[in-house]
Amino acid sequence: MDAQPLYRRWADHYLRAIKAGSLSQGDRMPSVRGLMRLHGVSLSTAIQVCRQLESEGWLEARPRTGYFVRQPRRLPIAPVDEPNVSALPDPAQYVGIHARVSTFIAKGRQYPITTNLAAARGAPELYPEEKLKNAALRILRRDSRLLVRAPSHSGSTAFRTVLAMRAVSIGLAIGPEDVLVTHGATEALNLALRAVAQPGDTIAVESPTFYGLLQILESLSLRALEIPTSPQTGISIEALELAVQTYDNIKAVVVVPHLQNPLGSIMPDAHKMRLAQLCEERGIPLIEDDTYGDLAESKIPLTAIKAWDRSGNVIYCASLHKVLAPGMRLGWMTAGRLQARVEMLKFAQTRQNEEWSQITAAEFMGLSAYDRHLRRLRSLLRTQRERTAEAIATYFPPGVRLSRPEGGVTLWIELPNKLSSEKLFDAALQEGILIAPGSMFSNSNRFEHFCRINCGLPYSKDLDHALLRLGQTVAQCLRT
Amino acid sequence: MDAQPLYRRWADHYLRAIKAGSLSQGDRMPSVRGLMRLHGVSLSTAIQVCRQLESEGWLEARPRTGYFVRQPRRLPIAPVDEPNVSALPDPAQYVGIHARVSTFIAKGRQYPITTNLAAARGAPELYPEEKLKNAALRILRRDSRLLVRAPSHSGSTAFRTVLAMRAVSIGLAIGPEDVLVTHGATEALNLALRAVAQPGDTIAVESPTFYGLLQILESLSLRALEIPTSPQTGISIEALELAVQTYDNIKAVVVVPHLQNPLGSIMPDAHKMRLAQLCEERGIPLIEDDTYGDLAESKIPLTAIKAWDRSGNVIYCASLHKVLAPGMRLGWMTAGRLQARVEMLKFAQTRQNEEWSQITAAEFMGLSAYDRHLRRLRSLLRTQRERTAEAIATYFPPGVRLSRPEGGVTLWIELPNKLSSEKLFDAALQEGILIAPGSMFSNSNRFEHFCRINCGLPYSKDLDHALLRLGQTVAQCLRT
Ligand SMILES: Cc1ncc(COP(=O)(O)O)c(C=O)c1O
Ligand SMILES: Cc1ncc(COP(=O)(O)O)c(C=O)c1O
């Protein structure tokens, strides 16, 4: 006789079905009456099967409709490691990140991609399309002259005013005239770096860091000095201190204080303050890239490092591309004592931004609808991140480790057994899945067994299945 | 007794009034009956007064309404000089054009400007506001998703397709995939220069040249080697040949073949061919800035230098900012063998352009309305240029010289007696008039007694009066 109680046997039966994917996320369990009929069990056994699977996190009850398959929220999965901060950072290396990134992109184009997990941005349906459209229509009807007159210098006043007003909540006391509108944070970072550094100079960056930043550095002939960075608290201030003592040609420090890309870390205020002080003392301009601040799950808005800036040493850069509208390329910056210089460089680089997107954004951002949108966006992204994390914990072989960022659109994954993420990249392509391998995020080879996964897509059966196949692909790569 | 016939005396009376500005362009002359009454002259004398002034070009008759003041079309005014091409060009100088231009701009902001003659672009009413608006509304209603999805790499396909198709008429055989959309010609020039040169390198440019180009060079730490340029035929090929033989660090040549800014010259096809060949033989990339091609008054579209490019050595840059819509910052480039490199740099510099302006432009440019718009624009600009030239010939002291470009939005003026245009700039500011002094267009001091005047504003009494005051200001500056 089987020692297991009856309900457990049937619960296991359904568990296998879930793990094998024949019952997948969102699928409905047979009803209690259905279970009684199908397996010839009693009412109480049928109920116990469902309750047991629910308590283990495999099912969820929906009032008046029954039980549905879900993944457990808190599966045991280890967080990614803290870096070793006592070792001296590698001297800057110029290793052709452009070529590397291009290779990945070119490869990606050769295959029919059905699931793009390489981006770091929400799907279109996460953004307020209808409201933005209405704002845009209103503006065109009201002031179509903006199509044929030269745009205002440094940006539209309406837009700069909204940005300056909103910046109060992150601790910045600035006026519209302190805001320079740019083509995304990308242009802001370009201008900031060009304002402070000459070709050949060294820039301290987080490690790992956003590959776009490494591309910018490379394209400006700047050298990246990678500073160890914690998945929890961001750049290591100790390691940075060591670095500035050792290298005397560091011309700027670039950090993403909130939801660092790819780690997802958030710098504690105490770190921000120390960082601002350290840079000021050393006379090293600090470039703060706050692209993701509005996606952080925090009761109150996170304070910018620039709030601790007393001498105009911090260049603050931000973007609406990921929080308001991926179809608009709106970014902005406020550069302290370098404001005039970045304005000049902006003028020489691309002239003023067009006005219509700026005014459309200003129109929408002036409404309470904008804050409602941000709350909704954060909540959708949380669900998507959690479900993706659960899928990874469930479908990936043991040994996988995961970041657990408090907000944002991506997860950072450490692959088991130091599996090469480039190998995984190639194998996943065959499955129509695009991932961002760790080697895109550093000029070193420290992150080759990591990858970044986008959580911007609404969770669906297809996505779940893709993550299952990705997990299976990891397993396969480990075997071969 | 006065030897002059009576009609001549009264004609001179009115001529003085016109020259003094008390009767100005567009003003109505007293009617024939009015003249009879006012001056007690006969009908035939009154008629002769008007006919005489008309034959001298001071008045024009409008059917059934009478005589109005106009300026003569063909006043004797000397064209600006040809450059000395046998002298070796100055070695490149880095002289702070940014600072110089900023000084002018800052000064301009301190005064209430009523007439801005410093720009190089048409007034809003010269552009198809209504049609663009309707295209934009249509597109937003049809595909508002473009607001919230990431834009396509290198530009929208619809827009790139229209551009590639239209490029056929200027001799370019390219497909949509060869087109990279940029933020105006300004970004295209940045990318082209960054693709071919490193800081410290030397770039051969026309002299005088568009100050924006000098700013770009300075901001990229490139050195400008100024090549003598003819107001008629553009850059001197002989002088360029001499320069490339003498200096071995010239990494690119930048030219504006059509309606060069500020001279207004148009390169003959034979020169274009020789230039393309010379650059190819010497292995020096040629950057062609065709911002103004569509404004040239020519029966058939002017052929791009790139039409003679056999090895992908020419980087062609263009813009819609001045021809279609000053409110849109749309430019594009096709870079031959450097296409992949400029695409990479564009991605690192500003990512993709937003789609909505691209698609709006594509929608309008696909219609025959676009060619109608261009014809209308050219004709309006011709009138404005001619009337401005006439005003200058009339109101400025003798010795002034003028470019007579066959198209475009600006005139290039040589001031009498080597009058400093910076002195004139300061004096004109007091009159609320902004001009572009010659020293903005060169790192040398060869053009200090030149200035550029915008003809983009519809000719009006106010504008005429401003030009009169500007002429008087020149006279004043000459006296003091
Ligand atoms: C940290 C960080 N900064 C900047 C950017 C680029 O921002 P934008 O799209 O506004 O140019 C990104 C995009 O991935 C990012 O992750
Ligand atoms: C010769 C030339 N090239 C480029 C530009 C800048 O073009 P865009 O406004 O498209 O950036 C100008 C503007 O004055 C110009 O005169």
Side-chain angles (χ1 to χ4, degrees), chain A residues 129 144 147 190 327 329 348 354, chain B residues 129 144 147 190 327 329 348 354:
Chain A
E129 174 177 340
S144 53
L147 295 170
N190 268 275
R329 295 286 308 132
E354 293 179 358
Chain B
E129 173 176 342
S144 54
L147 295 169
N190 268 275
R329 295 286 308 132
E354 294 179 357

Side-chain angles (χ1 to χ4, degrees), chain A residues 184-186 189 210 256 261 289 291-292 319 321-322 329, chain B residues 351:
Chain A
T186 299
L189 290 169
F210 167 46
V256 179
N261 180 0
D289 172 2
T291 293
Y292 295 105
S319 172
H321 182 65
K322 320 242 175 178
R329 295 286 308 132
Chain B
R351 297 268 182 285

Side-chain angles (χ1 to χ4, degrees), chain A residues 98-99 101-102 105 109 121-125 127-130 132-133 136-137 140-141 143-151 153 183-184 186-188 190 194 198-199 210-213 215-216 218-221 321 324-330 341 344-358 360, chain B residues 98-99 101-102 105 109 121-125 127-130 132-133 136-137 140-141 143-151 153 183-184 186-188 190 194 198-199 210-213 215-216 218-221 321 324-330 341 344-358 360:
Chain A
H98 268 317
V101 170
S102 306
I105 292 173
R109 290 212 178 119
R121 145 184 77 230
E125 50 267 50
Y127 298 93
E129 174 177 340
E130 198 60 24
L132 286 171
K133 167 184 153 181
L137 291 173
L140 279 171
R141 290 202 198 96
D143 182 20
S144 53
R145 177 113 315 185
L146 63 81
L147 295 170
V148 292
R149 67 165 182 249
H153 274 280
H183 295 292
T186 299
E187 183 173 43
N190 268 275
R194 294 180 58 192
Q198 292 297 317
F210 167 46
Y211 66 89
L213 176 61
Q215 287 184 301
I216 294 171
E218 185 172 303
S219 73
L220 296 174
S221 304
H321 182 65
L324 174 61
M328 298 179 168
R329 295 286 308 132
L330 289 175
R341 182 148 172 79
M344 197 164 71
L345 289 169
K346 161 71 173 155
F347 187 75
Q349 182 161 293
T350 55
R351 296 268 183 285
Q352 323 83 328
N353 275 46
E354 293 179 358
E355 293 220 323
W356 62 347
S357 39
Q358 297 181 62
T360 298
Chain B
H98 268 319
V101 171
S102 306
I105 292 174
R109 291 215 177 118
R121 146 184 75 229
E125 50 269 48
Y127 298 93
E129 173 176 342
E130 198 61 24
L132 287 170
K133 167 183 155 183
L137 291 173
L140 279 172
R141 290 201 199 97
D143 182 21
S144 54
R145 176 100 336 169
L146 63 80
L147 295 169
V148 293
R149 67 166 182 250
H153 274 279
H183 295 292
T186 299
E187 184 173 41
N190 268 275
R194 294 181 59 193
Q198 293 297 317
F210 167 47
Y211 67 87
L213 176 61
Q215 287 185 301
I216 295 171
E218 183 171 307
S219 73
L220 296 174
S221 304
H321 181 65
L324 174 61
M328 298 179 167
R329 295 286 308 132
L330 289 175
R341 182 147 174 79
M344 197 164 72
L345 289 169
K346 162 71 174 155
F347 188 75
Q349 182 162 292
T350 54
R351 297 268 182 285
Q352 323 83 327
N353 275 47
E354 294 179 357
E355 293 220 324
W356 62 347
S357 38
Q358 297 181 62
T360 298

